[in-house]
Structure formats: C-alpha cells, structure tokens
Amino acid sequence: MGKDNIQPLGNIIDEVVGQLNIGHRLKVSGIFNHWKDIVGSQISKKSKPQRLKNGTLYVSVTSSTWANELDLMSQQLIEKINQYAGCEVVEQIRFKADLKNDDF
C-alpha cells in the first residue's frame, strides 16, 4: 500500500456512513428525539411524532381541535423539520387525535 492510497479518516467515515445510510437514519431519529426543539414547547405538549414512512410523518395529537390546528400549520412545520434535519426528510404530515396525556 503506497502513500497514494492513504485517505483522511474523515473521508473513510463519510463513505461508510453513506453506504450504511446512517446519516439519513440519524436525521430521522433527530426529528423524534428533538421534537420539542423543532416545534416548540406548546405544540410538543400536545403532539408526538409516531413514525416516518415514505416522506409522510405521522403525528399523534391530544384532540381533533389540535389535529385541525396543526394541519393548517403543516407546511410551516414541514419546513422547520426539514431545516432541522438539513434535508427534505418530510414531504407531508398526517395528524391523528389519539394521544393521551399519559403517553408523554
């Protein structure tokens, strides 16, 4: 192995992370782990992200009133989420009024 084959460790790590799709998984988990930081404390007290599938984020909320309110804000929330993630992870959000206070 000659000197020409030596690569900086950062490049190797970036390549492995890319191959394993870890970067995308970390961005997605960041949405769930930092929900309050992304949407703010008021919204996070009434909502909880459940899963992300095919660009759709499914979020449970405490009431149909909150589901309607957040649905009206969905484009703003999508922008905040994607800005936090650093890429377009979420294309749309679906809200469901099935969250109980003891789910927090």
Side-chain angles (χ1 to χ4, degrees), residues 17-99:
V17 165
Q19 289 174 352
L20 297 175
N21 202 18
I22 293 172
H24 181 74
R25 290 179 188 165
L26 288 173
K27 290 174 185 176
V28 169
S29 69
I31 294 169
F32 294 89
N33 295 332
H34 299 280
W35 185 244
K36 182 179 177 181
D37 298 329
I38 297 168
V39 300
S41 62
Q42 184 178 5
I43 292 173
S44 71
K45 289 178 185 176
K46 303 292 183 181
S47 65
K48 185 175 181 182
Q50 298 299 325
R51 71 178 199 263
L52 178 66
K53 184 175 182 182
N54 299 326
T56 300
L57 180 64
Y58 295 87
V59 178
S60 291
V61 295
T62 56
S63 70
S64 58
T65 303
W66 270 101
N68 289 333
E69 185 69 27
L70 294 177
D71 190 51
L72 294 173
M73 298 174 56
S74 64
Q75 192 56 45
Q76 295 165 335
L77 294 173
I78 291 168
E79 289 171 13
K80 283 183 174 185
I81 293 165
N82 289 336
Q83 183 178 10
Y84 187 89
C87 65
E88 273 196 49
V89 176
V90 175
E91 296 172 14
Q92 62 181 337
I93 304 175
R94 299 279 184 226
F95 299 98
K96 185 174 181 182
D98 63 353
L99 190 63

